[in-house]
Amino acid sequence: MKKFLLTVLCAAGIISASANPRTAILIGYDSENNSDMNFQEAAACEIFRSLNPDGAVIASGDNDRISTDNFDCIWIHIDRLGIGLGAQNLPEAFRNETTVNALRRFVEDGGCLFLSKQATQMLTLLGRLDARFAPAIYGDGDGGPGTDNWTVQAQIGYWFVNEKDNPNGLDPTQYYDRRGHEIYKELEVNNDFASETFGMLGSGNGSELWREDHNCMWDLNAYGNIYTAEGKNVVEKFEAENNAVVLGQWGHVQDHAVAGIIEFLPAAVPGETVQPGRIIANGLAAYELAPRSGINAYAENIRKLTGNTISYLAAKATTGIDDIVTDTDSTTAEYYNLQGTSVSADNLTPGLYIVRRGNKTSKVIVK
């Protein structure tokens, strides 16, 4: 039925390569209107709704909706006081076997996840990250007022090109500029530190702002005896070990010590044709959605970083139809597998195919 429907839609020009991404936010409550909902997570729902008016809110226990048939990207934001470090301490709604298995299948089928704040710990539950590399820079306390600005450092290893602070000829190849990544598109720059960073949390004028200081991120130096992958430094070793890319650190950091935003690239599943999805994990305290007092001067950066991350992941998903030819050309479609072997259109099995129609080629996933 799906193959027939695909043919009809393509012939009618209904499906296009620029189809709007399908996005959702998974919450730990029976409704986004639940009066017991944590205020930080309620703020995530509000931001998501404003960015994705056609997006969906998946309530706790509604696991049948967690499917690549429905969505390309799902956001999970967990930010609560005093729950304790460790995936086993996450709210039951996010760590129960049924939900975890649904999310695992979603990623294996090509769906992408955005995990923020304490949700970064779900990487181990999903089997994407070995427990030895679980985030251990952690805080879930009450926090307090402050006047400085908290930012994101996307120039990883800035010391290695910062002649002012490091004039001794350090190796510049150990500097990784991630400012060009799509998650940072159009973010306002902050110059409080030695290098250009992106402002996230602060009044911007020296007045007080309450910050909860909830980190859930990685100390890359802590895995010194665990790394087996080669690399010139802990960033390269961590990335090689985990098929990942470090995208952001604390704003003041110039070395390789910590990782606060990491993109976990697709990890191939043996025997599967469809490429699994990727996951971006953001555990920075600076990524605080709803300060309890004061006005966050960088709220728009928070909003843009969120929207950029979701849009980027939705575009990277391999959950459905990609680059489909949308004209009404009646030329017979020829199907090929990824090895270039011709396959009969009547005998397609689930997987990714190259389709040639006349002098045009496209890709299609059959489920």
Side-chain angles (χ1 to χ4, degrees):
M1 173 61 73
K2 284 191 177 181
K3 282 181 271 186
F4 173 76
L5 180 60
L6 173 65
T7 302
V8 172
L9 293 178
C10 286
I14 295 174
I15 297 176
S16 71
S18 60
N20 291 327
R22 305 163 303 156
T23 58
I25 182 169
L26 174 64
I27 62 175
Y29 300 86
D30 58 6
S31 167
E32 63 183 301
N33 299 316
N34 189 318
S35 60
D36 294 328
M37 192 172 190
N38 171 276
F39 75 100
Q40 295 286 4
E41 294 167 29
C45 280
E46 291 178 8
I47 291 175
F48 176 79
R49 284 294 198 192
S50 68
L51 292 168
N52 303 275
D54 295 326
V57 175
I58 305 175
S60 175
D62 200 3
N63 295 308
D64 289 343
R65 299 182 67 197
I66 303 174
S67 168
T68 54
D69 289 336
N70 300 322
F71 306 111
D72 296 316
C73 176
I74 297 175
W75 178 22
I76 304 175
H77 185 77
I78 309 173
D79 190 4
R80 306 187 187 185
L81 290 169
I83 65 174
L85 175 63
Q88 73 280 359
N89 293 319
L90 290 172
E92 194 277 337
F94 297 104
R95 59 178 166 81
N96 70 78
E97 184 177 3
T98 305
T99 300
V100 170
N101 286 341
L103 290 168
R104 189 190 293 251
R105 287 193 300 271
F106 178 76
V107 175
E108 289 176 352
D109 289 343
C112 294
L113 295 177
F114 175 28
L115 306 177
S116 51
K117 283 308 191 67
Q118 292 149 352
T120 61
Q121 298 178 101
M122 295 188 69
L123 286 159
T124 59
L125 293 178
L126 296 171
R128 180 58 185 84
L129 186 67
D130 189 287
R132 297 174 303 165
F133 293 100
I137 298 177
Y138 183 79
D140 60 6
D142 203 45
T147 58
D148 58 327
N149 298 314
W150 291 2
T151 70
V152 176
Q153 169 68 282
Q155 298 182 70
I156 315 301
Y158 183 72
W159 264 354
F160 290 84
V161 293
N162 181 5
E163 295 182 0
K164 177 180 180 295
D165 292 341
N166 289 275
N168 298 320
L170 296 179
D171 180 5
T173 66
Q174 297 191 50
Y175 163 73
Y176 314 99
D177 189 353
R178 304 284 157 74
R179 289 174 295 176
H181 195 283
E182 289 183 38
I183 68 170
Y184 298 123
K185 184 180 179 181
E186 297 182 351
L187 264 65
E188 178 184 342
V189 169
N190 178 282
N191 294 299
D192 283 4
F193 303 104
S195 61
E196 175 183 281
T197 63
F198 299 111
M200 287 284 112
L201 190 65
S203 66
N205 59 13
S207 61
E208 287 189 346
L209 184 75
W210 191 284
R211 287 82 62 89
E212 292 184 330
D213 199 12
H214 290 179
N215 284 295
C216 194
M217 48 189 285
W218 289 262
D219 177 358
L220 301 185
N221 290 327
Y223 313 115
N225 297 324
I226 300 176
Y227 292 121
T228 60
E230 298 295 322
K232 290 179 288 188
N233 53 62
V234 293
V235 170
E236 290 190 5
K237 291 178 180 179
F238 182 92
E239 291 181 340
E241 193 88 38
N242 297 290
N243 191 27
V245 180
V246 176
L247 299 179
Q249 303 174 306
W250 282 322
H252 64 279
V253 171
Q254 295 189 53
D255 59 16
H256 298 128
V258 299
I261 306 178
I262 301 177
E263 180 176 1
F264 292 87
L265 303 174
V269 178
E272 292 291 333
T273 303
V274 176
Q275 187 182 58
R278 63 188 68 203
I279 301 172
I280 288 183
N282 180 345
L284 286 167
Y287 186 68
E288 183 172 318
L289 305 187
R292 281 185 259 169
S293 67
I295 298 175
N296 183 14
Y298 302 103
E300 185 60 22
N301 268 8
I302 291 274
R303 176 183 166 84
K304 286 182 179 178
L305 181 64
T306 302
N308 289 345
T309 302
I310 293 172
S311 294
Y312 170 77
L313 289 171
K316 291 293 184 182
T318 57
T319 57
I321 302 163
D322 182 36
D323 296 335
I324 298 300
V325 176
T326 61
D327 60 23
T328 57
D329 186 357
S330 59
T331 305
T332 301
E334 302 173 30
Y335 291 83
Y336 299 85
N337 62 24
L338 297 185
Q339 289 71 46
T341 303
S342 178
V343 180
S344 171
D346 295 327
N347 295 307
L348 298 181
T349 58
L352 179 64
Y353 294 88
I354 306 299
V355 182
R356 184 170 68 186
R357 192 186 298 272
N359 61 357
K360 298 180 180 179
T361 59
S362 59
K363 293 180 291 184
V364 62
I365 291 177
V366 175
K367 295 183 179 179

